[in-house]
């Protein structure tokens, strides 16, 4: 009977020890997985932000428009609903003075070659802001690192 009792205690001790090891192992795996997940997310976000900054097109206003009280805010390049890829420029403009004129927009690729032009008649009062859509020909594609000049 004593040996049976010893055997039963040994089996019980072994089972309890195995369960503890299993729980600790699972906790360690979960903690490691969480750390890897956080690191991977931070890495992907960092790469994405770096790509966005590197590939982003630049907007430049002519000196005359700057003197006329114009400045820019956010802009977006999308596909025109009339056809084409990345040929619609939506530009937020800020008017510090009254403005009544035609805005001419030119797109230059990363090598400085002109790839498209468009224009839009605009009449705004001092202190006004608005988003304006500049639609280019469907064959124009505003590429990464393009320079967009507004005159």
């Amino acid at each position: 009977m004593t040996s049976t009792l010893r055997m039963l205690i040994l089996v019980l001790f072994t089972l309890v020890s195995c369960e503890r090891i299993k729980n600790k192992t699972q906790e360690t795996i979960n903690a490691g997985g969480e750390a890897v997940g956080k690191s991977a997310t931070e890495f992907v976000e960092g790469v994405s932000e770096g790509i966005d900054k590197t590939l982003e097109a630049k907007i430049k206003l002519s000196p005359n428009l700057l003197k006329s009280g114009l400045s820019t805010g956010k802009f977006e390049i999308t596909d025109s609903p009339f056809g084409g890829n990345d040929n619609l420029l939506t530009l937020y403009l800020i008017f510090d003075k009254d403005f009544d004129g035609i805005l001419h927009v030119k797109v230059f690729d990363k090598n400085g070659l002109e790839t498209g032009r468009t224009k839009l008649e605009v009449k705004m009062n001092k202190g006004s802001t608005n988003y304006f859509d500049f639609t280019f020909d469907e064959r124009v594609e505003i590429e990464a690192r393009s320079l967009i000049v507004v005159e």
Side-chain angles (χ1 to χ4, degrees):
M1 189 109 91
T2 311
S3 68
T4 307
L5 185 60
R6 284 186 200 157
M7 183 64 102
L8 185 61
I9 291 172
L10 182 62
V11 168
L12 187 60
F13 178 75
T14 304
L15 287 174
V16 169
S17 295
C18 286
E19 189 62 29
R20 260 193 227 153
I21 291 170
K22 178 182 163 191
N23 288 340
K24 281 292 186 188
T25 302
Q26 187 64 42
E27 287 174 16
T28 303
I29 289 171
N30 288 345
E34 186 177 326
V36 168
K38 284 181 183 177
S39 296
T41 299
E42 290 172 6
F43 175 77
V44 169
E45 286 175 355
V47 168
S48 177
E49 286 176 17
I51 288 172
D52 287 347
K53 289 179 183 174
T54 302
L55 300 181
E56 186 176 285
K58 303 283 187 237
I59 301 281
K60 180 180 176 186
L61 289 177
S62 71
N64 286 339
L65 288 180
L66 291 171
K67 288 177 191 171
S68 297
L70 237 67
S71 59
T72 62
K74 187 173 183 166
F75 69 94
E76 182 178 40
I77 299 164
T78 56
D79 299 343
S80 167
F82 308 110
N85 290 327
D86 291 336
N87 62 329
L88 174 66
L89 168 67
T90 301
L91 177 60
Y92 184 77
L93 291 173
I94 303 159
F95 298 86
D96 291 331
K97 298 179 182 178
D98 289 344
F99 185 86
D100 185 2
I102 297 175
L103 295 175
H104 297 267
V105 181
K106 297 177 185 176
V107 176
F108 298 88
D109 70 9
K110 65 183 178 186
N111 297 317
L113 298 174
E114 184 176 333
T115 61
R117 295 180 183 205
T118 192
K119 62 184 177 180
L120 183 67
E121 190 170 342
V122 174
K123 183 174 183 177
M124 296 295 287
N125 294 325
K126 176 183 177 180
S128 298
T129 63
N130 206 350
Y131 284 94
F132 295 89
D133 289 332
F134 296 91
T135 305
F136 292 86
D137 182 277
E138 67 181 27
R139 294 167 289 191
V140 173
E141 182 177 345
I142 303 173
E143 302 170 343
R145 296 184 294 204
S146 291
L147 173 63
I148 302 165
V149 178
V150 185
E151 301 174 324

